[in-house]
Amino acid sequence: MGSSDPSRHSLTAPAFGRPELLAQALTHRSAGSPHNERLEFLGDALVNLFIAEALYARWPQVDEGALTRARAELVRESALASIARELDLGPRLTMGPGEMKSGGHRRDSILADAVEALVAAIYLDAGFEACRAAVLPWFEPAMAALPPPHKVGKDAKTRLQEWLQGRQKPLPVYTLLSESGEEHAKQFRVRCELLQPPLATEGEGGSRRAAEQIAADAALALVDPPRGAR
């Protein structure tokens, strides 16, 4: 593949022996054929295999349920969209005028599909081992940040609530601070306030629920920081 840093995989055509695969991976169906939906299908299977294999090796004593929840956490739409933004895929997407005008290049679902399609394009161009070597580093930060296996799959609001209940402390209060943006690109800002210990955090997201989760995660980081940060 020719990239010295696989976590920052080169998306220029010369990095591919078959540059048409890269072009197809970054073409949304709104732009016509060939588009990336078939590649997305293949890439989804590859990503799930790579992550399953990595988790199996990383957590040798963990049962199937926790492994399944951890994989779901790592390959969920928002996680893949975050990788797409790290790789700056949005501006590189080829889309129809309507989809581009509506902000499709910023939409999580489209970005996540593009990541899966890109994985398949790398696989078809360079083979299984090269693809795995290029793709796994994209997931490494999120994999390293996973909570302990018994907590995987619980969202931040649930974990914060359990932490507070376990110490007989009052539950958090979530307050909507602002709602802005056009209908297709709403942004919500929420405050999460704790009474014991007294603190408040804020979160911003594309839905009120997402903003609450971000605020709860920020509160958790203060009251129950990761082991390595203590």
Side-chain angles (χ1 to χ4, degrees):
M1 297 300 298
S3 175
S4 60
D5 182 357
S7 68
R8 292 287 181 175
H9 180 76
S10 172
L11 298 182
T12 57
F16 279 73
R18 297 166 59 192
E20 68 274 11
L21 285 170
L22 174 59
Q24 183 178 348
L26 300 181
T27 300
H28 186 257
R29 67 179 177 181
S30 62
S33 295
H35 53 68
N36 63 9
E37 285 190 349
R38 279 174 55 84
L39 288 173
E40 173 203 337
F41 166 79
L42 178 57
D44 173 70
L46 287 164
V47 167
N48 274 277
L49 174 58
F50 294 154
I51 297 303
E53 182 183 48
L55 289 170
Y56 186 86
R58 182 179 290 248
W59 288 347
Q61 305 302 322
V62 172
D63 64 28
E64 177 197 6
L67 291 171
T68 299
R69 292 191 297 272
R71 180 179 61 184
E73 181 77 9
L74 292 168
V75 304
R76 72 189 193 280
E77 183 179 280
S78 59
L80 294 177
S82 293
I83 290 173
R85 293 185 179 98
E86 285 292 315
L87 296 172
D88 200 28
L89 291 189
R92 304 168 192 262
L93 294 175
T94 300
M95 317 183 81
E99 197 66 67
M100 181 63 73
K101 186 176 180 180
S102 70
H105 62 290
R106 295 188 297 270
R107 196 170 301 139
D108 276 10
S109 59
I110 290 176
L111 290 171
D113 290 348
V115 168
E116 292 176 339
L118 178 60
V119 171
I122 297 171
Y123 164 72
L124 293 173
D125 187 69
F128 184 85
E129 296 297 338
C131 181
R132 180 170 56 186
V135 169
L136 272 180
W138 302 349
F139 292 87
E140 186 58 40
M143 204 174 299
L146 283 172
H150 68 282
K151 291 187 177 181
V152 170
K154 295 181 180 179
D155 61 36
K157 287 181 66 176
T158 300
R159 287 187 282 122
L160 178 59
Q161 179 176 315
E162 289 180 350
W163 189 91
L164 292 167
Q165 287 177 327
R167 291 157 179 80
Q168 291 77 51
K169 297 180 184 296
L171 295 181
V173 176
Y174 296 93
T175 305
L176 178 64
L177 300 178
S178 66
E179 178 181 343
S180 60
E182 298 180 10
E183 194 60 39
H184 66 274
K186 288 277 191 184
Q187 283 294 306
F188 297 80
R189 190 162 192 84
V190 168
R191 174 187 291 120
C192 171
E193 189 169 1
L194 307 188
L195 297 179
Q196 297 177 19
L199 64 86
T201 57
E202 295 183 5
E204 187 170 344
S207 69
R208 180 167 180 169
R209 173 178 169 77
E212 288 176 349
Q213 294 289 355
I214 292 168
D217 192 56
L220 263 175
L222 294 174
V223 300
D224 188 25
R227 189 179 302 273
R230 295 174 181 169

